[in-house]
Amino acid sequence: MPTALDVVDGEVRELIRRRGLDPFTDPGPVRVLVRDVVADYSERSVNSALPPIVDTESVVRDVLDRVAGFGPLQRYLDDPDIEEIWVNEPGRVFIAKRGRSELTTTILAPGELADLVERMLRTSGRRIDMSTPFVDAMMPDGSRLHVVIPDITRRHMAVNIRKFVLQAHSLDELVALGTITGQAARFLEAAVASGLNILVSGGTQAGKTTLLNCLASAIPARERVVTCEEVFELRVPLPDVVSMQTRQPNLEGAGEIPLRRLVKEALRMRPSRIVVGEVRQEECLDLLIALNSGLPGMCTLHANSAREAVVKMCTLPLLAGENIGTAFVVPTVASSVDLVVHIGSDVSGHRRVREIVALPGRAEGGVIETADVFTSRDGRLVRADGYPPHPDRFAALGFDLTALLGDGR
């Protein structure tokens, strides 16, 4: 026998179809409709054999989740403490809170996951099928969706939803969260304003995008910023910003726009500064060439330490072609990247900046010289003895580098 929720759900869907409503574009009328149907059902159930509604608000919420949301996953999307949701199979739905994962009690019905994925992709303009078994897309709320289908996976769809939970919008807010010290934050603000090229490194879910957003908030408001990403995640709080994302090929295999193309096109858009969400492949070469030409920029990179990030920056451009060698890449990285800010999370899930490393611009024997500006000791970020390059840029904007680094005492 169908439950009260099933009956109400069926009636709401029929009325939506008759009235030509779109639950995603007309959420207000749909919400009113659901409440009206629930109220009508409650009256009818008093004098009939219909199963009664015990909790009206719960039924309203569940029906809205079904018809205008993403079903059983919607409550996790609405919970601000949940950072990521992933589904290994219909009966194994996981969430991450404060950097720690847990298995939920949610069990999806057969075929429900595929229906939810189709709904999630609806507004993105992207697709998933046998010819394109992977998809990376942005959901309506800004969350990042990644899906893999069989036979790439063994049996079930693998779904990851990384919510855009921006816990901080500025370096000051990161200081308040304990992610970075006040002294290091003031130094990075000055470095960004002075036009230094900054690489943010860290592992998965370390907080690289949040840190990059906070660094971008320190860019002077007069500058024109162009951002390039695989999927929109950056939210630069400046008046003159152009954001671009990659595009999948169409059914005929044409029309793909890779990240490398975006970086090249960004240079034709009169940028004062370029920000790349994450470099993974040969687009690193084009970014290096842009930075080496005098255009300030920032990006993120997966790495286990700041020095490993520097090594990776020297390796990724080699993917661009056989004519690109280390003899060109290594000195280019040394002269183009000024600072590497490495962020990581501890066992409790708390994210902290672990080190800030400077590249003085010298390389010898294929190895780039680095200097620790800030380093971690006993779990705290403290001043080391290194100095950033381009002290003249700091001085030109009125920054006292010695005072910023606390070396005048």
Side-chain angles (χ1 to χ4, degrees):
M1 183 177 178
T3 64
L5 176 61
D6 293 331
V7 175
V8 172
D9 178 57
E11 292 180 0
V12 168
R13 290 180 187 276
E14 178 62 22
L15 288 172
I16 286 175
R17 185 186 64 79
R18 287 182 185 176
R19 298 180 185 182
L21 296 174
D22 186 328
F24 287 96
T25 59
D26 304 313
V30 170
R31 192 172 294 109
V32 172
L33 174 63
V34 170
R35 290 194 175 276
D36 289 344
V37 172
V38 170
D40 178 68
Y41 179 93
S42 296
E43 291 180 7
R44 286 186 286 130
S45 65
V46 174
N47 300 312
S48 69
L50 290 171
I53 291 178
V54 178
D55 186 343
T56 300
E57 286 302 315
S58 176
V59 171
V60 169
R61 184 176 62 251
D62 289 345
V63 172
L64 281 171
D65 287 349
R66 285 187 178 191
V67 301
F70 299 109
L73 303 183
Q74 187 62 46
R75 55 176 166 161
Y76 303 128
L77 291 166
D78 293 337
D79 189 335
D81 292 329
I82 293 176
E83 302 162 347
E84 191 164 359
I85 307 154
W86 61 99
V87 185
N88 295 345
E89 57 184 72
R92 300 188 72 80
V93 179
F94 292 82
I95 59 171
K97 280 187 177 182
R98 292 179 286 277
R100 307 188 76 171
S101 64
E102 58 184 81
L103 176 63
T104 69
T105 57
T106 298
I107 298 177
L108 302 175
E112 187 174 12
L113 183 57
D115 291 340
L116 290 175
V117 168
E118 184 179 346
R119 201 183 304 175
M120 291 172 185
L121 290 174
R122 180 180 172 188
T123 59
S124 72
R126 302 194 176 194
R127 72 181 198 283
I128 189 165
D129 51 39
M130 293 303 292
S131 64
T132 311
F134 304 93
V135 70
D136 204 16
M138 186 178 73
M139 293 170 57
D141 66 348
S143 299
R144 183 170 179 170
L145 171 70
H146 185 267
V147 184
V148 190
I149 62 173
D151 59 352
I152 302 301
T153 55
R154 185 185 295 274
R155 186 178 175 187
H156 301 283
M157 276 186 171
V159 179
N160 282 74
I161 303 170
R162 183 178 299 178
K163 292 171 60 180
F164 192 80
V165 183
L166 193 59
Q167 296 181 334
H169 300 82
S170 67
L171 289 170
D172 284 337
E173 292 182 20
L174 287 182
V175 172
L177 289 170
T179 302
I180 190 171
T181 63
Q183 183 187 18
R186 298 290 79 76
F187 165 70
L188 288 178
E189 281 181 348
V192 171
S194 301
L196 268 63
N197 298 323
I198 301 175
L199 171 62
V200 176
S201 66
T204 303
Q205 284 292 299
K208 299 186 298 298
T209 302
T210 298
L211 177 55
L212 185 62
N213 263 302
C214 293
L215 289 171
S217 71
I219 297 174
R222 65 181 180 276
E223 294 193 13
R224 174 174 169 81
V225 179
V226 179
T227 69
C228 307
E229 305 173 79
E230 287 189 352
V231 175
F232 291 129
E233 287 186 292
L234 295 172
R235 298 180 184 179
V236 182
L238 295 174
D240 191 358
V241 179
V242 175
S243 302
M244 298 188 291
Q245 71 172 357
T246 60
R247 188 174 71 190
Q248 283 184 303
N250 58 24
L251 290 171
E252 290 75 35
E256 181 181 13
I257 307 294
L259 191 56
R260 188 175 187 186
R261 172 75 180 276
L262 295 183
V263 175
K264 290 178 179 178
E265 295 299 327
L267 301 181
R268 301 184 174 101
M269 300 172 70
R270 198 182 180 275
S272 304
R273 198 172 305 231
I274 185 171
V275 181
V276 178
E278 182 178 348
V279 289
R280 298 173 185 264
Q281 301 181 58
E282 61 269 16
E283 66 272 358
C284 187
L285 173 65
D286 302 279
L287 178 60
L288 281 176
I289 292 173
L291 299 181
N292 192 243
S293 66
L295 175 66
M298 296 183 281
C299 70
T300 72
L301 183 75
H302 274 92
N304 293 322
S305 69
R307 283 168 179 77
E308 284 189 26
V310 173
V311 172
K312 196 169 182 180
M313 283 290 284
C314 294
T315 305
L316 291 179
L318 304 180
L319 300 173
E322 295 180 1
N323 58 327
I324 306 298
T326 55
F328 165 76
V329 173
V330 171
T332 302
V333 172
S335 61
S336 301
V337 179
D338 299 317
L339 294 174
V340 182
V341 184
H342 185 75
I343 186 169
S345 57
D346 55 27
V347 291
S348 67
H350 191 83
R351 298 173 175 90
R352 300 181 192 277
V353 172
R354 300 286 181 81
E355 55 182 332
I356 301 175
V357 171
L359 278 64
R362 297 180 291 272
E364 187 173 342
V367 178
I368 295 176
E369 181 181 330
T370 59
D372 291 335
V373 182
F374 289 88
T375 189
S376 288
R377 290 184 194 143
D378 300 324
R380 295 181 64 251
L381 188 68
V382 297
R383 170 76 173 109
D385 54 4
Y387 273 82
H390 312 300
D392 54 310
R393 297 186 191 176
F394 288 88
L397 291 179
F399 293 112
D400 185 342
L401 195 53
T402 301
L404 278 172
L405 295 174
D407 295 340
R409 292 182 241 176

